[in-house]
Structure formats: C-alpha cells, structure tokens
Amino acid sequence: FRVTRGLWGKVGILETNIAQTTGSAASSLASGVIFTIPALFLWGFKPSIAQIGTLALLGGVLGVMFMIPLRRFLIVKEHAHLPYPEGTASAQVLIAADTGGAKAKNVFVGMGVGAVYKGVLGFLKALPSQASVHLPILAKAEVGMEISPALLGVGFILNYPIAAVMVAGGLLSWIVIIPLIATFGDGLVSPYFPEMVKPISQMSADELWTRYIRYIGAGAVAFAGILTVIRSIPTMWNSLKIGVNEIMRRGVPAEGKLRTDRDLPMSFVFGAAAIVIALIAILPHAIGEGGPFWIRGIGAVCIAAFAFLFVTVSSRIVGMVGVTSNPTSGMTIVALLGTSMLFALLGWTDDFGKAAALTVGTVVAVAASIAGDISQDLKTGYIIGATPARQQVGEMMGAIVPAFFIAAAVWLLGEAFTFGSAELPAPQATLMKTVIEWVLQADLPWGLVFIGAGISLVAQLVGLRPLAFAVGIYLPLSTMTPVFIGGVLRWMVENVFTKKGEELEGRSDQGILFGSGLIAGEGIMGVLIAFYAFFLGKPAGLGIAWPEPWGEALSFIIFMSLGLWLLSIARRRQPVV
C-alpha cells in the first residue's frame, strides 16, 4: 500500500483493487505451468529456469493482451448474463470494507465462517473434506460432494440455471456413462484401451473417470469451445474493428473516454501481442529446446491461434461458472491435440516434436488461465468503478514479475522430489504427456473424444448451455454438487421466499454478501495453509479417524447447516445503507 499511496495518493477501494489485481496473476501463471512443464521432466528433459520462466512470461503477457479487446463485450455488454462469481465476490468484499456499517456485516461474518471452516477441514483435518455415496443397482455409480463453503458461495452467486446445467453434466458422467462402462466392460478379462493395466471390472469409479471420462470431457469441452467461438465471432470482429479504428486514430481518443471505459491503447495491445509471437519464434528455448526456425515459427502460429481461441473461451467459462471450475487442462489438451496432429502430419514425431508440442501447450495454458483471472478482476473493477487501463497494467506486472520465481519453484520441485513420484504424482502433466505420445504415435482414443463432441452437440440442440454442460462432464461431480446446492438456495430465495410482484430494487442481497465472504475467507485460509506447508511441511491435523460412514455424514450435516444459515440470511433482505 505504500507503493499505491505514492502512485495514486489516498489508499482507497480503487487502489486496493489494483493491489489485488496485480497479486492475483501469479496463481494463474503457476497453474498453467504446473499443468504442463512436469511432462518435460517425465520425458527425461531438463528444462532450465530460463526456459520455464520465459514460457510463463510470454504466455502471461499474451493472455492479458488478447483479453483486453474483449472487455467491452464480455464484461460490460454481458454484465447481466455473465456473473463472474469470484469477481463479484471480490467487489462485494471491497465495497463492504470501504463503506462499513450494516452492509459489511454479512461479508465479514462469511469471511470468518469460511476461514474457520477451511481451517477445520484443511489444517486440523478434524472432518472429512468430501462426502460420497454409492448408488445401488447402477454399477459403480457414485455421487459425491466436496465440503467447500467457497463453492457454496459460488453457486449462490451463479444462480440456479447455470449450476443446474453444470451438475447435469456431472451426473451424466457419474450415474450414466460410468455405470455403462462398468456394466458392459465387466466381462472383459484384459485391460481395454486407453487403460493399460487393469481390466474394467477391477477399476474403481474414480479410475474409470480418470481413464475414460476425462477424454470424453475433453472432447465435449473442445466442441463446446468451438461453438462458443463461432457465436463469439461478432464479438471478436467488433473488437478487431475498434482496435484498428483506434490505431488509425479514428476511434475515440483516450482523453475523450470516460475513465471507467479506458483500456490500454490498442496500438500497444496489438504491438505487444505481435512482439510476443515473434519472440516465441525467435528465441531458441521458447519452443522445445533449439531446433529449426521453421518449426518454432509454426509453433508460434499454433500458439497465436489457440491462445486467442481459448482466451475467449476461458473468459466466458469463468463468467458462467467461476475460476474454480475453469477447465484449463481441458483447453490445454485441445491445444496439444491440434498441435500434435499438425506435427505428426509434418513428420515431427521425435523427442524434439514432443517437447515443442508440450511447450506450445504451456504458453496456451498460461494465456487461458490468466485470461480467466483478469476477467474476474475486470468484473470487480467494472462493479466498483475502476479504470480498466490501470488494472491491465497491474495484471501485466503480475504476469511479468513472478514468472521466473514460479519457474524456479517448479524446477526445484522437479529436482528435489522428481515429478511422477509418490510425493509429486503430477497427474495433469502425465495426462498431457500421454496425449502427445498417443497423437504422435497415432494411438489416441478418438472414439471417446468424439463421443464427448457428440454430447456437446446434443446439448446445443436441446437448448442447454453446451459449455457449462461440458465443464460438468469434464470436472469431478463432487466439485459441481456444492455449486448446485448454492444455486438451489438462490432459487429458493427468489422464487419461494419472495412474494410475487415484490419490488426488490433498492435492496441489497445479503446472501450474495455472505456467499462472497465465504469465498474470500476460504481463499485466505487456503493461502495461509499453503504457506505453512511450504515452510513447515504438510499439516498433520489432529489425527481423528472417524468410523465409516459417520465422519462423512457429520461433514454433510454441518455443510447443509451452513446452507440453511445462508438461506436464512438471504431471506432477510436489508435496505441499502
């Protein structure tokens, strides 16, 4: 805050927002890197800190640049249709902290509850953090729920329609497709591709989801993403026209715009994106490690195409379902599929081709991840009246400054613990490695991928939101369930406990404030637990061993009690003060 005081004077809500905008970018870089880079270690390559940091930096800057032209459409024009739950929650917390009084009460109560709840589950480990039940008759059908106050708050902010579509996709996976695979594969005595070790009869529901459903989900996300991009073509075209007009000085000059509608100059945005693409082609260690210039050039073109595609898709996904449910790994798989197929057609199937395809995926993963992050930040800024250009500068700083520190951390983890070991299994990176190998060896389970694409097509034809439905298929049902419960509670408030024709304008939704606090509180405690684990080791907890199924039952009862508390708070709508 001393820095922001020197730059902007009084430290208020806008300066605080800039600080959190800048700081939030690092997590996006880390997630994009950790999904992919460990695959290089698994292949036996030794990527340097310089290479990892360069990929993170270039992907971060590219994601920010590609997102800026979309702000007016996805954040402003779609404000009523894309809730951006974490961005809305951040705005409510900032407003509550700035105004204080009765309006702030439920936010800070929610923060306290969320932090304590996360501490009990994640630090003390006094209760199970998940609850699940096996369904009778249906083979290996299982319904689970992650005990997460933050996801409950996300669902309340999202509302019922989106939450219902997401959980419907999860239910399709866990009580339809998995039982079908288990039933028809029960008689097989040998593993069925793509599984290489166990026959289906010996696999658990989680293993079936990992080895089969993930590919169906990736196909669903890919096809739904293509549909989203097709529908977003007018948005992209308008963004391009605005950028060209500004570059040609026919647009509204910066000094003539409202402060709250002022982005970074489009000449800077397009110029920076072009420089990043050129650096990817020129720098020897950006794509793969060395290798011919033309391969790096083709890789740079793949990055430009997939990054712009998935920046758009990622921003819209997090607008609908939140950052927590953003299937960055699914979008990365699609980028790897496309790049690996191109490399296979060109005959680049050696070790360099593998590394080059993987590093393309790394840059795309970072760009898509940071686009989701900056979208939430821009939503927060739009609600509180921030200057987008300053937020965009802050996001760039947040993408550039920590890149090589994150790279050093990943490199040290790989050297100290070995990716793929029991200590660092790196499941996402293992999946990315497997996808590349299968494509380059012409051995990918395309049938599962196309089944997923067909499911998204059906969802589109029957009027569902295909992207939200596909995300539900791709992610664990346990993640979708608390989101759905939050959405049901919001529906009850607005349709059961609100009289028909009741005027709601001029009132503050206390449930959203409380839900926002739950998200913030759990996030803060999660960061504190991560610091503890980094410096002192993984928390051992209290060592309580609950007998089955009483521990999970108690966790579920306490979670539902929290839901009832949220419902009671949301029913008591208080006038804005």
Side-chain angles (χ1 to χ4, degrees), residues 448-481:
L448 298 177
V449 174
F450 281 110
I451 287 173
I455 291 173
S456 285
L457 177 60
V458 172
Q460 174 67 45
L461 293 176
V462 300
L464 296 176
R465 300 182 185 218
L467 201 53
F469 192 73
V471 169
I473 295 172
Y474 184 77
L475 294 178
L477 177 61
S478 58
T479 302
M480 302 295 102
T481 308

Side-chain angles (χ1 to χ4, degrees), residues 283 428 472:
L283 294 176
Q428 299 285 13

